[in-house]
Amino acid sequence: MQFITKISVAAVSALLSSGAVHAADPTPAEWFLAGQKAVTDGKTLVKYEQKAKNVILFIGDGMGISTITAARILDGQQKGGKGEENQLFFEKAPYLALSKTYAVDQQTSDSAPTMTAMVTGVKSNEGYLSVDHTAKRGELDAAKLEAVKLQTILEQAKARNMSVGIVSTARITHATPAACYAHTTIRDWEADGDRPAGATVPDIAAQLVDFNINGGIDVALGGGRARFIPATVNDPEYATAGRRKDGRDLTTEWVSKKTKAAYVWNTAQFNAINPSTTDHLLGLFEPSHMHYEADRVKNDKSGEPSLTEMTKKAIDILSKNPNGYFLMVESGRIDHAHHASNAYRALTDTIQMSTAVEAAVQKSDPKDTLIVVSADHSHVFTIGGYPQRGNPILGLTQNVGETKPELDMLGLPYTTLSYANGSGYTGSSDKQLAGAKSFGAPEGAWAAGSEGHSPTKYSGAIGRPLLTNELVQNSNYLQESTVPLPAETHAAEDVAIFAYGPQAHLFHGIMEQNVIYHVMADALGLPKK
Ligand SMILES: [Zn+2]
């Protein structure tokens, strides 16, 4: 291809491999050169063979591969490009594998056994948090549970006098963060009153604050405040009470039991924390889950930090420890937006997690910090039709060379994004704009239920609606689904694992999800359990 010499290699590199978006499509020569450069770059990949001092595990809850693809396109389109050529930050990670997410008893799994696999090295059962699958479901007896506990990487790191932290936009007692520090067979036992009478297995919030290895957890930032304060005490931000029946105020206990400790619940307090003088930070920014990134600034009257801001603060506190740190960061609400059949919020939370990973990479040294980015499971979220290049990812499908959206066999337009099941069932979707307008309030439908279930009622007789681009690109639009369910479901296909730093090259091929623990433990040189 003689024309290659006519263009600047440097210009092509800047154009394509940086992930920059651009208005003009590459020429054939530019495509060819960019492909060549990817091979050249691959030959210079560095394997860091040394041990890791620190490990950061990022989890996009429910961040299947279709979610990553659609978020990449939305991000690129929001930056003014066609979108498909864009890269989320973590897509540039040097090493990649696929993770098989089934649990011992589930083909399609929930967040509890999947996170248990990633932080203990052992697969377990639906709803189980860091106990093995032989545990009796609903075990009330703490002594019996002791025998089936699985030690977590966070516990092992703390036992070695490393610092440890957990960050999530979901309740900090929700399954993904809880699997790092709590042991129970029922993921919903988040506050003491959630357990049946007679239970001696402690609730999850108590397990967080009572975590007693070497001074306990150092940083915990997320939602879930109500699980930490007594039912007799009002929430500081809303006219609601706490949920604890035992009278304990775990937020004040955190401060009184630990050294250089602080508890914060709003942005001003969070921003005032000086990482150099604070060793133990508990931040609980909502009674339940934190806001979606799309709603965070406009809906939270007292303010709450972004996932990126929480990640940075956590690293600043934890990285003071010369023994290193283990940090888990979860973008917990990608999952909730999918359950509600609202792609916009799932994708904008994914984009925010990409920014958080970028901040972590910038704040750490690839020679001593292993950074892993993965998901617990996927969702039944799909990108379909034959939309032309640059078609708005949230829009109606419009094919190459056409001036109008494609029509289905009923003569009706359809969107590129849809779900196999969920609350956007076509039988009710002519009411979606009206329904969507009721969404968005912090204590409204989006915040309802642990998974953000939609209150939509169904009528199968209506049939597909006449959709418009104005309707489907509304941020509150619920994408259509084939099967009517109150909440869209998880999906069973593999999810991606991205990795940077020491031993990152050990992520390769299609791996069982529990192998993620073993790579992290090996990188840290943790003793075999
Ligand atoms: Zn879920």
Side-chain angles (χ1 to χ4, degrees):
M1 298 176 86
Q2 75 241 9
F3 46 63
I4 287 169
T5 53
K6 293 180 193 162
I7 56 171
S8 152
V9 173
V12 173
S13 299
L15 203 63
L16 291 179
S17 65
S18 68
V21 293
H22 44 91
D25 264 335
T27 65
E30 287 170 336
W31 279 118
F32 194 86
L33 270 186
Q36 279 186 327
K37 183 174 183 301
V39 175
T40 312
D41 288 351
K43 291 178 180 176
T44 64
L45 275 186
V46 180
K47 279 188 191 174
Y48 293 107
E49 304 273 6
Q50 63 268 44
K51 291 292 178 207
K53 177 184 175 190
N54 315 304
V55 170
I56 308 174
L57 173 60
F58 280 92
I59 301 297
D61 196 309
M63 188 180 71
I65 288 175
S66 57
T67 301
I68 295 172
T69 305
R72 164 206 303 161
I73 296 172
L74 179 63
D75 181 52
Q77 293 180 342
Q78 287 176 335
K79 290 173 180 165
K82 290 189 172 179
E84 298 84 359
E85 68 293 335
N86 183 47
Q87 286 180 297
L88 297 174
F89 181 83
F90 59 79
E91 292 184 64
K92 293 175 242 175
Y95 295 97
L96 180 68
L98 291 180
S99 171
K100 295 167 69 180
T101 64
Y102 69 95
V104 170
D105 64 349
Q106 290 177 298
Q107 189 172 65
T108 302
S109 45
D110 75 293
S111 299
T114 51
M115 191 58 175
T116 296
M118 287 188 270
V119 297
T120 72
V122 178
K123 290 206 181 205
S124 190
N125 277 354
E126 185 261 317
Y128 283 26
L129 294 173
S130 293
V131 292
D132 74 36
H133 77 277
T134 67
K136 185 179 92 186
R137 187 174 295 280
E139 179 63 68
L140 301 175
D141 186 334
K144 286 186 182 152
L145 203 68
E146 197 62 36
V148 290
K149 267 188 190 175
L150 297 166
Q151 195 181 25
T152 74
I153 190 166
L154 182 142
E155 291 168 325
Q156 288 183 289
K158 194 66 199 176
R160 211 171 71 169
N161 275 312
M162 294 167 66
S163 288
V164 298
I166 42 172
V167 170
S168 178
T169 50
R171 293 192 297 268
I172 204 69
T173 49
H174 211 235
T176 303
C180 295
Y181 61 83
H183 305 271
T184 189
T185 63
I186 306 287
R187 56 177 280 181
D188 297 332
W189 291 354
E190 295 181 56
D192 62 311
D194 299 333
R195 303 165 308 159
T200 55
V201 171
D203 63 276
I204 294 167
Q207 292 194 50
L208 189 158
V209 173
D210 293 338
F211 186 100
N212 64 1
I213 305 168
N214 285 333
I217 293 171
D218 301 284
V219 174
L221 300 172
R225 194 161 61 216
R227 275 79 183 163
F228 291 75
I229 58 180
T232 52
V233 171
N234 269 350
D235 186 85
E237 195 174 11
Y238 302 99
T240 53
R243 289 172 62 110
R244 297 203 67 80
K245 304 234 162 69
D246 59 7
R248 289 179 71 182
D249 186 332
L250 300 178
T251 64
T252 56
E253 287 187 30
W254 172 279
V255 177
S256 64
K257 284 179 180 170
K258 293 175 184 277
T259 54
K260 293 187 180 176
Y263 163 65
V264 297
W265 62 266
N266 61 45
T267 303
Q269 294 171 346
F270 174 82
N271 290 342
I273 291 293
N274 180 348
S276 63
T277 54
T278 304
D279 289 347
H280 296 96
L281 179 60
L282 175 65
L284 300 172
F285 302 101
E286 278 291 306
S288 182
H289 305 302
M290 291 175 67
H291 290 283
Y292 293 104
E293 180 58 24
D295 306 319
R296 184 173 62 84
V297 173
K298 67 178 192 293
N299 281 355
D300 195 81
K301 61 178 177 175
S302 301
E304 58 183 49
S306 67
L307 187 70
T308 302
E309 289 163 342
M310 293 194 290
T311 302
K312 286 179 173 176
K313 187 82 83 179
I315 293 172
D316 286 342
I317 293 173
L318 301 174
S319 61
K320 293 183 295 179
N321 188 337
N323 297 323
Y325 63 87
F326 171 81
L327 171 63
M328 192 292 297
V329 178
E330 182 200 29
S331 178
R333 307 210 66 200
I334 298 168
D335 179 70
H336 299 166
H338 277 324
H339 281 306
S341 301
N342 179 243
Y344 177 76
R345 284 174 176 75
L347 302 183
T348 45
D349 270 25
T350 303
I351 294 167
Q352 173 61 207
M353 190 174 87
S354 172
T355 307
V357 175
E358 183 171 9
V361 168
Q362 285 170 352
K363 276 192 168 288
S364 59
D365 182 342
K367 293 197 260 329
D368 70 16
T369 303
L370 170 63
I371 298 180
V372 181
V373 181
S374 192
D376 42 5
H377 53 74
S378 185
H379 273 267
V380 293
F381 173 61
T382 191
I383 308 170
Y386 297 101
Q388 62 187 336
R389 177 76 193 281
N391 200 56
I393 189 65
L394 294 164
L396 297 172
T397 297
Q398 188 169 312
N399 285 10
V400 175
E402 298 296 332
T403 56
K404 289 183 181 160
E406 274 306 285
L407 302 180
D408 71 1
M409 293 181 76
L410 300 168
L412 296 167
Y414 53 90
T415 53
T416 302
L417 302 180
S418 66
Y419 293 97
N421 60 45
S423 52
Y425 176 57
T426 54
S428 65
S429 55
D430 64 335
K431 294 178 180 163
Q432 281 183 332
L433 188 57
K437 282 178 180 160
S438 72
F439 291 134
E443 291 302 288
W446 286 108
S450 68
E451 306 277 24
H453 293 177
S454 162
T456 309
K457 294 278 190 294
Y458 301 108
S459 163
I462 296 166
R464 289 203 65 237
L466 180 61
L467 298 172
T468 64
N469 264 311
E470 184 199 5
L471 171 64
V472 301
Q473 294 190 54
N474 183 306
S475 63
N476 294 327
Y477 177 67
L478 306 184
Q479 274 69 23
E480 286 181 278
S481 63
T482 311
V483 177
L485 291 182
E488 179 265 7
T489 71
H490 299 174
E493 79 271 7
D494 303 343
V495 297
I497 309 168
F498 304 84
Y500 306 76
Q503 311 302 327
H505 54 278
L506 295 179
F507 289 106
H508 67 98
I510 299 183
M511 309 175 84
E512 292 289 354
Q513 192 163 38
N514 57 313
V515 179
I516 293 173
Y517 161 86
H518 293 279
V519 174
M520 297 189 298
D522 186 77
L524 286 173
L526 293 176
K528 296 270 188 290
K529 292 196 277 188

